[in-house]
Amino acid sequence: MKPYVMIVAAAMLAACTSTQSYGPASGSGKMGYSSQQIETGRYQVSYTDSDASRARDRALLRAAELTLQEGADWFEIVNSYTEQSADGRRTGSSVSIGGSSGSYGRSSGVGVGVGIGFPLGGGSGPAVTEVLEILTGTGEKPDRPNAYDARSVDINLRGTVTD
């Protein structure tokens, strides 16, 4: 029975350590993207994740998606900032394994336990939110450092952030 418990525990641990998949946030402060059109050709895009680099890449991917959906060719980041949550709450599940043995008088015993923890609160922590304000445009991409070709960004980041 002990090997079976260890295999199940290892499988559950592997499932819990996977990263959040790319997609929309299910609510305020949740992992994923949100976007809002500010005016024609201007959007605010944000992505919340537990990893700052991944949050940045996924925010860029979402900016490229919006640009292409609008029928535009490029986007320029006109403002950006990063927020990090101050709370220490975690969204991930946890698995723990424990065991003991002992004896008392003439009897002895061995115990093995597996515990699984699921977060009950809606908090995420430490969560990082990358916020981009973008302008979209058609035609040739401007020769400025914060201007991006939407198709190139989509091609280059889609495989790395959606895995």
Side-chain angles (χ1 to χ4, degrees):
M1 170 123 169
K2 188 174 179 181
Y4 175 72
V5 170
M6 297 300 279
I7 291 170
V8 169
M12 293 174 88
L13 182 60
C16 294
T17 60
S18 63
T19 60
Q20 175 74 20
S21 62
Y22 177 78
S26 61
S28 179
K30 302 287 185 178
M31 300 290 185
Y33 66 75
S34 64
S35 48
Q36 179 179 8
Q37 184 171 14
I38 299 169
E39 60 185 19
T40 302
R42 183 183 290 261
Y43 295 87
Q44 183 178 44
V45 177
S46 65
Y47 202 98
T48 302
D49 200 285
S50 59
D51 179 75
S53 177
R54 194 169 46 235
R56 174 74 177 185
D57 285 350
R58 290 179 173 189
L60 284 168
L61 177 59
R62 181 62 184 150
E65 288 175 342
L66 284 173
T67 302
L68 295 172
Q69 287 172 3
E70 187 180 87
D73 301 312
W74 55 267
F75 65 92
E76 182 174 11
I77 300 172
V78 294
N79 190 17
S80 69
Y81 60 94
T82 304
E83 294 179 342
Q84 185 160 356
S85 68
D87 65 8
R89 295 178 291 172
R90 300 287 303 179
T91 58
S93 302
S94 63
V95 176
S96 59
I97 302 170
S100 66
S101 64
S103 63
Y104 181 74
R106 295 180 145 174
S107 61
S108 63
V110 175
V112 176
V114 176
I116 302 171
F118 297 99
L120 297 177
S124 60
V128 178
T129 302
E130 183 70 28
V131 181
L132 308 175
E133 184 179 334
I134 65 165
L135 293 174
T136 61
T138 57
E140 189 174 326
K141 176 181 75 77
D143 188 22
R144 293 190 288 266
N146 289 325
Y148 297 83
D149 179 87
R151 277 183 188 55
S152 294
V153 170
D154 187 71
I155 290 168
N156 291 326
L157 292 180
R158 181 153 310 275
T160 62
V161 301
T162 59
D163 290 340

